[in-house]
Amino acid sequence: TSTGKSKTPALDAFGRDPEYEPNLRAARRVEAQAQGWRAVLDLLDAELRQTSKSPEEQAELYLERGTILDWSLNDLEGAREAYACAMELDERNPQVWLRLLGSMARNQSWHEADDLLVRVLSFVSEEGLKAVLTAWRGAINEHLIRDTDAAFDFYRDALELRNDLPLALTGLRRLSEDRKLWNDLIELGERELKLLDGPAKTFCYYQLAQLYMRRQGRADLAIELLERAQRIESDDVLVNSELSRLYEYSARWADQIAVDERLLELTSDPEEKLSLHHRIGLTHEEHLHDDERAIEHYHAAVALRPSHAPAMQALGRLCHKYERWEDLLRMHEVEARQAEAE
């Protein structure tokens, strides 16, 4: 090693008395600053041979050895062995088992990682930490070991310990959807709402509304949830479109028109605008008996596409009804010009 040739005071002192612990540590610091990692490992081994060390002190040295092998020398197997030695000496030290778990993950030793979590869970008492570790078991079993039945149970166990844990909530929601457990999904969605804000909360409201409507036929609850989502993001097209559909289903015609008019403002697609104008016109005509407003929207639809037969027919019907012959003539002129152009 470089220890025999160095002129630094720390290494000179180490050369004179290599068994003296302060000399060992000072030499180790010098070699680490110079990135002489092999020399650092030799010095760590020398310190580990000292019989006066407690198990906890030895574990710290093995942890340092593993860190050098892991991060500086890219020796994953050697690092894992060092972390495993530290675990046998001081298993309750979180730094030790977290490093060992990370090493197992980099080696893709998922079954061993799951076994390590079982071991750690056997002595952890704090419920929040137990919940997190149990959720980790769920994620490992779901995504890496591919045992979704075990993962389902672990996510549920984690939520029993801490009912707002995002990893467990999202994992259990995913697996419940695969199993078509609709009531469980609704319960999980209600929990998730308490954790989210902004666009994520809006989308959660939307998903939950769909579950209430499609799986329980509860249009009233679905509408309530979508209205909450709309208060968060009034410009969300997905929410407004679903709300319009449910207002129509519930015969809430004025509310449906208000949402459809909002959708008109939000879209720039001519086809979407055409469809919305025709739809609003029909609602005014057939349900609110407001023919004047219906005519306005049928005119707007025809202006966008004169060949749109449903809008043309509806506009023609109302023009005949109210003997609005000039409007009817203009409509037929537009229709004729369109036919010539084609």
Side-chain angles (χ1 to χ4, degrees), residues 318-331:
L318 291 182
C319 286
H320 274 288
K321 179 178 178 179
Y322 293 102
E323 299 182 354
R324 294 172 66 158
W325 309 123
E326 290 184 7
D327 286 347
L328 191 61
L329 180 60
R330 281 200 302 272
M331 185 186 75

PDB file of all heavy atoms in Angstrom, residues 318-331:
ATOM      1  N   LEU A 318     -87.841  24.421 -37.202  1.00  0.00           N
ATOM      2  CA  LEU A 318     -88.230  25.568 -36.387  1.00  0.00           C
ATOM      3  C   LEU A 318     -88.526  26.804 -37.245  1.00  0.00           C
ATOM      4  O   LEU A 318     -89.387  27.617 -36.887  1.00  0.00           O
ATOM      5  CB  LEU A 318     -87.138  25.876 -35.363  1.00  0.00           C
ATOM      6  CG  LEU A 318     -86.984  24.833 -34.249  1.00  0.00           C
ATOM      7  CD1 LEU A 318     -85.898  25.252 -33.262  1.00  0.00           C
ATOM      8  CD2 LEU A 318     -88.297  24.633 -33.500  1.00  0.00           C
ATOM      9  N   CYS A 319     -87.810  26.945 -38.361  1.00  0.00           N
ATOM     10  CA  CYS A 319     -88.106  28.069 -39.266  1.00  0.00           C
ATOM     11  C   CYS A 319     -89.520  27.937 -39.850  1.00  0.00           C
ATOM     12  O   CYS A 319     -90.256  28.929 -39.976  1.00  0.00           O
ATOM     13  CB  CYS A 319     -87.076  28.130 -40.391  1.00  0.00           C
ATOM     14  SG  CYS A 319     -85.463  28.754 -39.843  1.00  0.00           S
ATOM     15  N   HIS A 320     -89.929  26.718 -40.211  1.00  0.00           N
ATOM     16  CA  HIS A 320     -91.294  26.489 -40.691  1.00  0.00           C
ATOM     17  C   HIS A 320     -92.297  26.772 -39.577  1.00  0.00           C
ATOM     18  O   HIS A 320     -93.336  27.391 -39.799  1.00  0.00           O
ATOM     19  CB  HIS A 320     -91.454  25.034 -41.164  1.00  0.00           C
ATOM     20  CG  HIS A 320     -91.035  24.824 -42.573  1.00  0.00           C
ATOM     21  ND1 HIS A 320     -91.778  25.289 -43.651  1.00  0.00           N
ATOM     22  CD2 HIS A 320     -89.954  24.196 -43.112  1.00  0.00           C
ATOM     23  CE1 HIS A 320     -91.174  24.963 -44.787  1.00  0.00           C
ATOM     24  NE2 HIS A 320     -90.056  24.290 -44.488  1.00  0.00           N
ATOM     25  N   LYS A 321     -91.987  26.309 -38.378  1.00  0.00           N
ATOM     26  CA  LYS A 321     -92.906  26.461 -37.250  1.00  0.00           C
ATOM     27  C   LYS A 321     -93.217  27.932 -36.991  1.00  0.00           C
ATOM     28  O   LYS A 321     -94.378  28.296 -36.704  1.00  0.00           O
ATOM     29  CB  LYS A 321     -92.292  25.821 -36.012  1.00  0.00           C
ATOM     30  CG  LYS A 321     -93.157  25.936 -34.769  1.00  0.00           C
ATOM     31  CD  LYS A 321     -92.487  25.235 -33.584  1.00  0.00           C
ATOM     32  CE  LYS A 321     -93.316  25.390 -32.313  1.00  0.00           C
ATOM     33  NZ  LYS A 321     -92.662  24.684 -31.164  1.00  0.00           N
ATOM     34  N   TYR A 322     -92.207  28.793 -37.087  1.00  0.00           N
ATOM     35  CA  TYR A 322     -92.388  30.212 -36.764  1.00  0.00           C
ATOM     36  C   TYR A 322     -92.462  31.088 -38.023  1.00  0.00           C
ATOM     37  O   TYR A 322     -92.401  32.314 -37.920  1.00  0.00           O
ATOM     38  CB  TYR A 322     -91.265  30.691 -35.845  1.00  0.00           C
ATOM     39  CG  TYR A 322     -91.323  30.037 -34.480  1.00  0.00           C
ATOM     40  CD1 TYR A 322     -90.477  28.990 -34.154  1.00  0.00           C
ATOM     41  CD2 TYR A 322     -92.270  30.452 -33.536  1.00  0.00           C
ATOM     42  CE1 TYR A 322     -90.542  28.377 -32.907  1.00  0.00           C
ATOM     43  CE2 TYR A 322     -92.347  29.844 -32.292  1.00  0.00           C
ATOM     44  CZ  TYR A 322     -91.480  28.803 -31.979  1.00  0.00           C
ATOM     45  OH  TYR A 322     -91.564  28.188 -30.750  1.00  0.00           O
ATOM     46  N   GLU A 323     -92.574  30.430 -39.193  1.00  0.00           N
ATOM     47  CA  GLU A 323     -92.707  31.122 -40.476  1.00  0.00           C
ATOM     48  C   GLU A 323     -91.576  32.144 -40.688  1.00  0.00           C
ATOM     49  O   GLU A 323     -91.782  33.280 -41.111  1.00  0.00           O
ATOM     50  CB  GLU A 323     -94.074  31.819 -40.575  1.00  0.00           C
ATOM     51  CG  GLU A 323     -95.231  30.837 -40.488  1.00  0.00           C
ATOM     52  CD  GLU A 323     -96.579  31.502 -40.620  1.00  0.00           C
ATOM     53  OE1 GLU A 323     -96.607  32.767 -40.661  1.00  0.00           O
ATOM     54  OE2 GLU A 323     -97.591  30.797 -40.692  1.00  0.00           O
ATOM     55  N   ARG A 324     -90.390  31.680 -40.382  1.00  0.00           N
ATOM     56  CA  ARG A 324     -89.215  32.549 -40.567  1.00  0.00           C
ATOM     57  C   ARG A 324     -88.639  32.242 -41.942  1.00  0.00           C
ATOM     58  O   ARG A 324     -87.649  31.553 -42.104  1.00  0.00           O
ATOM     59  CB  ARG A 324     -88.198  32.322 -39.439  1.00  0.00           C
ATOM     60  CG  ARG A 324     -88.784  32.770 -38.105  1.00  0.00           C
ATOM     61  CD  ARG A 324     -87.948  32.409 -36.909  1.00  0.00           C
ATOM     62  NE  ARG A 324     -86.667  33.072 -36.847  1.00  0.00           N
ATOM     63  CZ  ARG A 324     -85.962  33.239 -35.722  1.00  0.00           C
ATOM     64  NH1 ARG A 324     -86.460  32.808 -34.557  1.00  0.00           N
ATOM     65  NH2 ARG A 324     -84.804  33.835 -35.749  1.00  0.00           N
ATOM     66  N   TRP A 325     -89.333  32.763 -42.949  1.00  0.00           N
ATOM     67  CA  TRP A 325     -89.030  32.380 -44.323  1.00  0.00           C
ATOM     68  C   TRP A 325     -87.671  32.906 -44.784  1.00  0.00           C
ATOM     69  O   TRP A 325     -86.962  32.229 -45.540  1.00  0.00           O
ATOM     70  CB  TRP A 325     -90.131  32.871 -45.254  1.00  0.00           C
ATOM     71  CG  TRP A 325     -91.504  32.493 -44.790  1.00  0.00           C
ATOM     72  CD1 TRP A 325     -92.551  33.327 -44.531  1.00  0.00           C
ATOM     73  CD2 TRP A 325     -91.970  31.168 -44.507  1.00  0.00           C
ATOM     74  NE1 TRP A 325     -93.652  32.623 -44.107  1.00  0.00           N
ATOM     75  CE2 TRP A 325     -93.318  31.282 -44.089  1.00  0.00           C
ATOM     76  CE3 TRP A 325     -91.401  29.892 -44.569  1.00  0.00           C
ATOM     77  CZ2 TRP A 325     -94.097  30.187 -43.734  1.00  0.00           C
ATOM     78  CZ3 TRP A 325     -92.168  28.800 -44.220  1.00  0.00           C
ATOM     79  CH2 TRP A 325     -93.505  28.945 -43.789  1.00  0.00           C
ATOM     80  N   GLU A 326     -87.271  34.081 -44.323  1.00  0.00           N
ATOM     81  CA  GLU A 326     -85.973  34.612 -44.748  1.00  0.00           C
ATOM     82  C   GLU A 326     -84.841  33.730 -44.214  1.00  0.00           C
ATOM     83  O   GLU A 326     -83.886  33.436 -44.934  1.00  0.00           O
ATOM     84  CB  GLU A 326     -85.801  36.050 -44.247  1.00  0.00           C
ATOM     85  CG  GLU A 326     -86.704  37.048 -44.957  1.00  0.00           C
ATOM     86  CD  GLU A 326     -86.430  38.477 -44.507  1.00  0.00           C
ATOM     87  OE1 GLU A 326     -85.444  38.668 -43.748  1.00  0.00           O
ATOM     88  OE2 GLU A 326     -87.180  39.375 -44.916  1.00  0.00           O
ATOM     89  N   ASP A 327     -84.964  33.317 -42.968  1.00  0.00           N
ATOM     90  CA  ASP A 327     -83.947  32.402 -42.404  1.00  0.00           C
ATOM     91  C   ASP A 327     -83.921  31.096 -43.173  1.00  0.00           C
ATOM     92  O   ASP A 327     -82.854  30.529 -43.441  1.00  0.00           O
ATOM     93  CB  ASP A 327     -84.251  32.117 -40.928  1.00  0.00           C
ATOM     94  CG  ASP A 327     -83.914  33.296 -40.029  1.00  0.00           C
ATOM     95  OD1 ASP A 327     -83.230  34.211 -40.518  1.00  0.00           O
ATOM     96  OD2 ASP A 327     -84.325  33.282 -38.855  1.00  0.00           O
ATOM     97  N   LEU A 328     -85.117  30.617 -43.527  1.00  0.00           N
ATOM     98  CA  LEU A 328     -85.204  29.357 -44.264  1.00  0.00           C
ATOM     99  C   LEU A 328     -84.580  29.492 -45.647  1.00  0.00           C
ATOM    100  O   LEU A 328     -83.857  28.592 -46.113  1.00  0.00           O
ATOM    101  CB  LEU A 328     -86.675  28.942 -44.382  1.00  0.00           C
ATOM    102  CG  LEU A 328     -86.947  27.527 -44.880  1.00  0.00           C
ATOM    103  CD1 LEU A 328     -86.346  26.487 -43.935  1.00  0.00           C
ATOM    104  CD2 LEU A 328     -88.458  27.292 -45.004  1.00  0.00           C
ATOM    105  N   LEU A 329     -84.809  30.633 -46.289  1.00  0.00           N
ATOM    106  CA  LEU A 329     -84.236  30.874 -47.615  1.00  0.00           C
ATOM    107  C   LEU A 329     -82.715  30.924 -47.525  1.00  0.00           C
ATOM    108  O   LEU A 329     -82.018  30.321 -48.355  1.00  0.00           O
ATOM    109  CB  LEU A 329     -84.785  32.180 -48.189  1.00  0.00           C
ATOM    110  CG  LEU A 329     -84.277  32.564 -49.589  1.00  0.00           C
ATOM    111  CD1 LEU A 329     -84.642  31.491 -50.608  1.00  0.00           C
ATOM    112  CD2 LEU A 329     -84.829  33.922 -50.010  1.00  0.00           C
ATOM    113  N   ARG A 330     -82.190  31.666 -46.524  1.00  0.00           N
ATOM    114  CA  ARG A 330     -80.726  31.740 -46.373  1.00  0.00           C
ATOM    115  C   ARG A 330     -80.133  30.349 -46.135  1.00  0.00           C
ATOM    116  O   ARG A 330     -79.074  30.019 -46.650  1.00  0.00           O
ATOM    117  CB  ARG A 330     -80.372  32.671 -45.211  1.00  0.00           C
ATOM    118  CG  ARG A 330     -80.461  34.137 -45.571  1.00  0.00           C
ATOM    119  CD  ARG A 330     -79.653  34.987 -44.589  1.00  0.00           C
ATOM    120  NE  ARG A 330     -80.109  34.791 -43.218  1.00  0.00           N
ATOM    121  CZ  ARG A 330     -81.088  35.500 -42.672  1.00  0.00           C
ATOM    122  NH1 ARG A 330     -81.723  36.438 -43.385  1.00  0.00           N
ATOM    123  NH2 ARG A 330     -81.449  35.290 -41.430  1.00  0.00           N
ATOM    124  N   MET A 331     -80.837  29.556 -45.379  1.00  0.00           N
ATOM    125  CA  MET A 331     -80.346  28.210 -45.090  1.00  0.00           C
ATOM    126  C   MET A 331     -80.259  27.379 -46.364  1.00  0.00           C
ATOM    127  O   MET A 331     -79.275  26.685 -46.614  1.00  0.00           O
ATOM    128  CB  MET A 331     -81.285  27.544 -44.083  1.00  0.00           C
ATOM    129  CG  MET A 331     -80.821  26.187 -43.598  1.00  0.00           C
ATOM    130  SD  MET A 331     -82.062  25.404 -42.543  1.00  0.00           S
ATOM    131  CE  MET A 331     -83.266  24.910 -43.793  1.00  0.00           C
TER     132      MET A 331
END
